[in-house]
């Protein structure tokens, strides 16, 4: 038997789709799954007639691959990835390449890269975004780890990635856990984006009373604009068209308002706290999902806790436009926070990230793909050391021109008792960032009062510290 070009371990939907993507692009594959029934089903159905070799033992799987072996592991993140690596190691030869394509924590990826490189193997931790469809037809790929391994994989990865006007949506991200770090932050931005869209929907639905059909029209129109054209806006418009066949009710209205999460948003928030980077929009989005999960408690509270009981008396068309502008401004804050976190992590962890390239590979295939990523790429290409996206010419004036609408929407939401935590967090981020003086002078005075933590003075050079005996 001729040896295969590429191997995939794990035949859940993402593993199957990536395997078929690789095969379709001219690279014969071997597949292995722990349960042989899954392998049988794949071979009998989706892989039938394709250049796919089914292995039923890990030894047979490894032996079926040409050297250096290129093995994509698509199993559950955490201990299962480590267990699979340990099974493979005795069967590998120097220079063989292992790729973890799951949503692994970046610190796990850094550890695995170090361990495997020490054993003369190579390792890639690769973020994959785009869901099931992207995996099959072209995802955004964020590979990091051993650079020589990426160079060996590049002919395959550039073929299977989403293709956009300036190339395939893949690049070597950086060493160690860089690839999975960028994917983690990508997912954090995704959390923020989804929460902001949900808040816009809540306002249009519960303030203006727009029907599902009207909501479809609004979001479909927004998706034609330069500011909001994106995959998430597109699918939101599609969602409002779908009716529940048994009831004739819009399906979205029958879905329980309790959102799940797999942990990457929470990881993003935790790491931002560790690095001292403010990402309030993303944090608000994670908190919103946590609040949504206490459904029964909220239902009980709704029976006793009342809101303001006020109604909206403004112009509906004008309010729709204001919500659109508030959504755009808030989305830019979410992306600005994500890019600021990537910049800080790049310096601390020596990732040497190219933020313009990060934006470019998100232009196709991935969940947060959006029209304005071209502008984000341009902003960092023009100034790789840009402190914050809000300062970029591509965004600064647009946000300044829309801040009146942004503030009006949040004021109306507060007046009407509609929670908009991510909209509010975004505006607070903007207002905090644009002010040259914040009230933390009092915070520092308090810290010095009760803990002798010292403080700096505005009339003295930075780095010079003082203490006062406040009770003297």
């Amino acid at each position: 038997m001729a040896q295969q070009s590429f191997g995939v371990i794990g035949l859940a939907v993402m593993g199957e789709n990536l395997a078929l993507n690789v095969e379709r692009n001219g690279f014969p594959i071997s597949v292995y799954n722990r349960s042989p029934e899954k392998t049988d089903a794949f071979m009998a159905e989706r892989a039938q007639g394709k250049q796919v070799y089914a292995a039923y033992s890990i030894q047979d799987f490894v032996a079926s691959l040409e050297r250096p072996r290129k093995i994509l592991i698509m199993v559950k993140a955490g201990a299962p990835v480590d267990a699979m690596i340990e099974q493979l190691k005795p069967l590998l030869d120097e220079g063989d390449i292992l790729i973890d394509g799951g949503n692994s924590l970046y610190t796990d990826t850094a550890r695995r890269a170090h361990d495997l490189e020490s054993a003369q193997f190579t390792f890639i931790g690769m973020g994959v975004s785009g869901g099931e469809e992207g995996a099959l037809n072209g995802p955004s790929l964020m590979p990091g780890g051993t650079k020589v391994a990426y160079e060996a994989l590049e002919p395959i990865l550039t073929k299977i990635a989403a293709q956009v006007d300036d190339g395939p949506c893949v690049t070597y991200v950086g060493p160690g856990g860089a690839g999975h770090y960028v994917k983690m932050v990508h997912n954090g931005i995704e959390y923020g984006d989804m929460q902001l869209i949900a808040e816009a929907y809540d306002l249009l639905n519960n303030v203006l009373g727009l029907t599902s059909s009207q909501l479809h029209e609004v979001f479909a129109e927004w998706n034609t604009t330069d500011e909001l054209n994106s995959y998430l806006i597109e699918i939101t418009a599609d969602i409002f068209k779908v009716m529940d066949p048994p009831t004739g009710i819009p399906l979205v209205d029958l879905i329980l308002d309790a959102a799940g999460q797999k942990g990457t948003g929470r990881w993003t928030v935790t790491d931002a706290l560790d690095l001292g980077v403010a990402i309030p929009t993303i944090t608000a989005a994670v908190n919103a999902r946590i609040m949504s999960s206490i459904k029964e408690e909220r239902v009980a509270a709704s029976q006793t806790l009342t809101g303001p009981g006020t109604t909206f008396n403004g112009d509906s068309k004008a309010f729709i436009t204001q919500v659109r502008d508030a959504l755009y401004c808030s989305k830019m804050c979410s992306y600005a926070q994500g890019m600021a976190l990537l910049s800080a992590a790049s310096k601390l962890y020596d990732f040497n990230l190219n933020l313009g390239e990060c934006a470019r590979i998100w232009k196709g295939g991935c969940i947060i793909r959006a029209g304005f990523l071209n502008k984000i790429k341009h902003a960092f290409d023009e100034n790789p050391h840009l402190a914050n996206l809000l300062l970029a010419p591509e965004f600064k004036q647009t946000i300044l021109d829309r801040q009146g609408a942004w503030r009006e929407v949040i004021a109306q939401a507060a007046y009407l008792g509609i929670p908009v935590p991510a909209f509010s967090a975004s505006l607070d981020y903007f207002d905090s960032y644009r002010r040259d003086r914040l009230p933390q002078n009092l915070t520092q005075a308090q810290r010095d009062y009760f803990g002798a933590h010292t403080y700096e003075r505005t009339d003295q050079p930075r780095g010079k510290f003082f203490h006062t005996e406040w009770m003297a």
Side-chain angles (χ1 to χ4, degrees):
M1 181 195 77
Q3 291 186 307
Q4 307 294 85
S5 301
F6 195 83
V8 177
I9 296 175
L11 291 175
V13 175
M14 286 292 288
E16 283 192 2
N17 283 1
L18 283 167
L20 292 172
N21 187 348
V22 172
E23 191 276 341
R24 187 182 66 248
N25 279 284
F27 303 96
I29 62 170
S30 289
V31 297
Y32 170 76
N33 197 77
R34 186 176 59 177
S35 59
E37 297 81 11
K38 183 64 177 172
T39 305
D40 287 339
F42 179 61
M43 295 303 296
E45 298 166 12
R46 302 186 73 195
Q48 191 171 38
K50 301 184 186 300
Q51 298 182 80
V52 180
Y53 175 75
Y56 289 88
S57 72
I58 199 72
Q59 293 83 358
D60 183 30
F61 171 79
V62 171
S64 72
L65 297 170
E66 66 184 20
R67 296 177 57 188
R69 299 178 180 93
K70 305 170 185 68
I71 299 173
L72 173 63
I73 300 170
M74 294 297 294
V75 302
K76 187 177 180 181
V81 177
D82 287 322
M84 181 53 63
I85 290 173
E86 288 306 308
Q87 286 186 59
L88 287 166
K89 280 168 67 175
L91 306 173
L92 300 178
D93 293 301
E94 183 176 333
D96 284 350
I97 304 166
L98 296 183
I99 311 150
D100 175 13
N103 269 334
S104 289
L105 183 60
Y106 76 96
T107 51
D108 287 341
T109 302
R111 168 179 54 80
R112 291 166 187 149
H114 178 268
D115 291 347
L116 287 163
E117 288 167 0
S118 298
Q120 305 304 309
F121 307 126
T122 58
F123 186 71
I124 290 288
M126 184 168 71
V128 179
S129 179
E132 297 173 11
E133 180 186 351
L136 181 63
N137 297 313
S140 172
L141 300 174
M142 292 152 261
T146 315
K147 189 169 186 181
V148 68
Y150 174 76
E151 291 167 352
L153 293 168
E154 191 171 19
I156 298 175
L157 299 184
T158 54
K159 286 281 187 70
I160 70 170
Q163 308 293 316
V164 294
D165 56 353
D166 51 4
C169 292
V170 61
T171 190
Y172 175 69
V173 174
H180 275 137
Y181 194 94
V182 170
K183 177 58 163 54
M184 179 187 76
V185 175
H186 162 286
N187 284 21
I189 295 170
E190 179 184 310
Y191 271 56
D193 216 345
M194 293 175 71
Q195 177 61 25
L196 291 166
I197 292 170
E199 291 176 16
Y201 151 68
D202 197 12
L203 290 165
L204 299 180
N205 184 230
N206 288 302
V207 174
L208 300 184
L210 296 193
T211 66
S212 185
S213 175
Q214 290 170 322
L215 287 165
H216 163 72
E217 292 176 4
V218 168
F219 279 87
E221 192 278 326
W222 285 357
N223 196 47
T224 66
T225 65
D226 290 339
E227 293 89 350
L228 294 181
N229 169 252
S230 67
Y231 173 72
L232 284 170
I233 295 289
E234 177 188 341
I235 68 169
T236 302
D238 289 344
I239 286 168
F240 291 125
K241 293 190 300 183
V242 178
M243 299 293 157
D244 177 55
T247 63
I249 294 173
L251 181 56
V252 69
D253 292 342
L254 296 174
I255 295 175
L256 188 73
D257 55 320
Q261 53 181 317
K262 292 187 175 180
T264 48
R266 186 174 66 253
W267 292 347
T268 307
V269 172
T270 300
D271 207 70
L273 289 171
D274 289 342
L275 269 62
V277 177
I279 56 167
T281 306
I282 297 169
T283 303
V286 173
N287 286 336
R289 293 198 191 189
I290 294 170
M291 285 294 294
S292 80
S293 70
I294 56 170
K295 174 67 174 177
E296 291 75 15
E297 191 175 335
R298 288 188 291 111
V299 170
S302 72
Q303 306 304 311
T304 58
L305 300 178
T306 59
T310 50
T311 57
F312 178 75
N313 296 312
D315 181 275
S316 294
K317 287 187 177 179
F319 189 66
I320 291 171
T321 300
Q322 289 175 330
V323 172
R324 180 200 67 194
D325 290 345
L327 177 57
Y328 171 75
C329 292
S330 298
K331 279 166 67 78
M332 285 319 308
C333 285
S334 183
Y335 279 78
Q337 292 161 33
M339 301 310 278
L341 179 55
L342 287 179
S343 178
S346 181
K347 295 169 186 172
L348 182 64
Y349 303 137
D350 294 322
F351 288 156
N352 194 29
L353 299 179
N354 182 324
L355 297 185
E357 272 292 279
C358 289
R360 187 193 68 77
I361 64 174
W362 292 343
K363 286 171 53 178
C366 75
I367 303 302
I368 65 169
R369 60 185 184 264
F372 57 59
L373 282 164
N374 271 321
K375 294 181 179 179
I376 294 177
K377 178 184 184 303
H378 181 258
F380 284 109
D381 286 349
E382 287 285 297
N383 181 5
H385 304 293
L386 180 68
N388 193 290
L389 269 178
L390 299 181
L391 301 175
E394 285 88 348
F395 304 111
K396 180 177 68 175
Q397 195 58 48
T398 306
I399 291 176
L400 292 177
D401 291 344
R402 288 162 171 75
Q403 66 172 308
W406 194 7
R407 297 178 190 283
E408 180 63 28
V409 166
I410 293 171
Q412 279 287 354
Y415 176 71
L416 297 167
I418 303 292
V420 285
F423 272 22
S424 299
S426 298
L427 181 58
D428 288 343
Y429 179 79
F430 172 78
D431 280 338
S432 295
Y433 192 70
R434 70 173 181 80
R435 288 185 64 187
D436 67 345
R437 187 165 174 84
L438 294 170
Q440 274 62 50
N441 54 314
L442 176 58
T443 303
Q444 198 61 20
Q446 292 168 330
R447 293 182 74 241
D448 189 55
Y449 188 113
F450 64 67
H453 292 293
T454 74
Y455 55 86
E456 296 172 277
R457 294 175 57 104
T458 59
D459 57 355
Q460 297 292 328
R462 289 298 305 270
K464 190 174 182 180
F465 293 89
F466 301 85
H467 170 62
T468 293
E469 294 295 336
W470 297 89
M471 291 292 289

